[in-house]
Amino acid sequence: MSTYPGLTPDRPHSDRGQGAEPGHGPAHDHGPPQAHGHAHGHGHAHDHGSFLGRLLELDADVHADMLTAATARVAEVAEGQVRRVLDIGSGVGTGTIALAHRFPEAEIVAVDISEGMLSQVRDRAQAAGVGDRVTTRRADIAASDDDLGPADVVWASASLHETSDPDAAFGNLFAALRPGGLLAVLEMDAAPRVLPAELADWEEQVRAAGGGTPADHPDWTEQIATAGFEAPHTYSLVTDLRAAADGPAGEYAALELQRIGARALPSLEQKDQETLRALAGDGVGSVRELGELWIRGTRTLWTTHRP
């Protein structure tokens, strides 16, 4: 089994132990993974405004190696000719475009419940030169009346933990795939860390104040089995990089800190509130003035086939 930069294969899930903390070591057993505060979901319960859209764009930029490694793995394990791919919870379409480039002969169908997000997907596809192969579908993957198949590959990145009924969603994904079709699910193990080493402890304190430390997105092994899929394989993807604070990473860090602050500020002491507001802002003390940022994050990729 091949490995890729940023992607390390674990054992098949059926052979794996339980309870190890995610994100520690190159290959590990996965306990309950964690969710970021957004996700480009199947359609989310929260606002799909410009803030979220921009955060999604920057996330794909800063963590580009993760997306490249994940789609490479999907292409490697897909069986048979790939003619139609579903991107479940497409968000603004960063994954959609990556899939279109990875599968140059396939139709890519972006699925989301937000028409605003789907409009951005169409614009992005035209700009990327793949508009003739990208279509959009407004649908809720947990709804029984949405027939999305047949598909050769289903991709769901940071979306399924947002569904109102995960069991129904996995059942619908199973139904949408042809026999032998591939399901690939990507989730964050934890929210990304964005501040340099000298502020790392402070960042952890702020995240804890906002309730962002405990794992809160599930291990999908049970739902995958219940839906009838084969035993999945899991892979760990890691971002650990230094990036200039005055570039895209700085904007990404500022938006991430704004997202944290929405929950954490009421629980912080005044001095920490002021520091957080300054770092997340555009003025003096902004994160963009820090010179270099330390971006870290881990995600888990599950791959499995429909028998």
Side-chain angles (χ1 to χ4, degrees), residues 38-54 56 89-92 111-118 120 138-139 158-159 162:
H38 89 265
H40 22 295
H42 69 292
H44 308 133
H46 45 253
D47 179 34
H48 278 280
S50 59
F51 176 92
L52 175 59
R54 185 57 179 157
L56 291 172
S90 60
V92 297
V111 181
D112 204 289
I113 65 169
S114 168
E115 181 55 41
M117 288 291 184
L118 294 176
Q120 293 187 59
R138 188 167 184 247
S159 58
E162 296 274 0

Side-chain angles (χ1 to χ4, degrees), residues 155-246:
W155 164 274
S157 176
S159 58
L160 293 179
H161 67 270
E162 296 274 0
T163 61
S164 58
D165 187 341
D167 290 335
F170 275 93
N172 290 337
L173 295 178
F174 184 91
L177 279 167
R178 62 162 170 81
L182 175 71
L183 172 66
V185 179
L186 183 65
E187 294 277 11
M188 292 188 179
D189 295 326
R193 271 47 180 173
V194 298
L195 293 179
E198 60 269 23
L199 291 172
D201 289 344
W202 181 85
E203 182 178 3
E204 293 301 323
Q205 293 171 13
V206 171
R207 289 182 181 277
T213 299
D216 57 12
H217 88 60
D219 182 332
W220 292 124
T221 308
E222 181 178 348
Q223 285 83 0
I224 287 171
T226 299
F229 289 100
E230 296 176 355
H233 288 74
T234 58
Y235 306 86
S236 297
L237 298 99
V238 179
T239 293
D240 189 341
L241 60 86
R242 268 68 175 180
D246 60 355

Side-chain angles (χ1 to χ4, degrees), residues 268-307:
L268 295 175
E269 296 181 359
Q270 183 175 350
K271 181 180 179 181
D272 290 327
Q273 290 182 7
E274 293 171 355
T275 299
L276 180 56
R277 288 193 178 100
L279 286 169
D282 295 323
V284 176
S286 167
V287 69
R288 296 171 178 84
E289 298 181 345
L290 293 179
E292 186 178 74
L293 301 175
W294 184 22
I295 310 296
R296 303 85 85 197
T298 63
R299 302 183 191 187
T300 296
L301 173 68
W302 288 262
T303 63
T304 181
H305 292 88
R306 173 177 171 168

Side-chain angles (χ1 to χ4, degrees), residues 111-158:
V111 181
D112 204 289
I113 65 169
S114 168
E115 181 55 41
M117 288 291 184
L118 294 176
S119 177
Q120 293 187 59
V121 173
R122 292 189 289 270
D123 290 345
R124 187 180 296 274
Q126 289 295 333
V130 294
D132 60 328
R133 292 192 295 111
V134 171
T135 59
T136 60
R137 175 79 176 271
R138 188 167 184 247
D140 182 350
I141 191 57
S144 59
D145 57 345
D146 281 325
D147 181 7
L148 299 172
D152 303 294
V153 172
V154 169
W155 164 274
S157 176

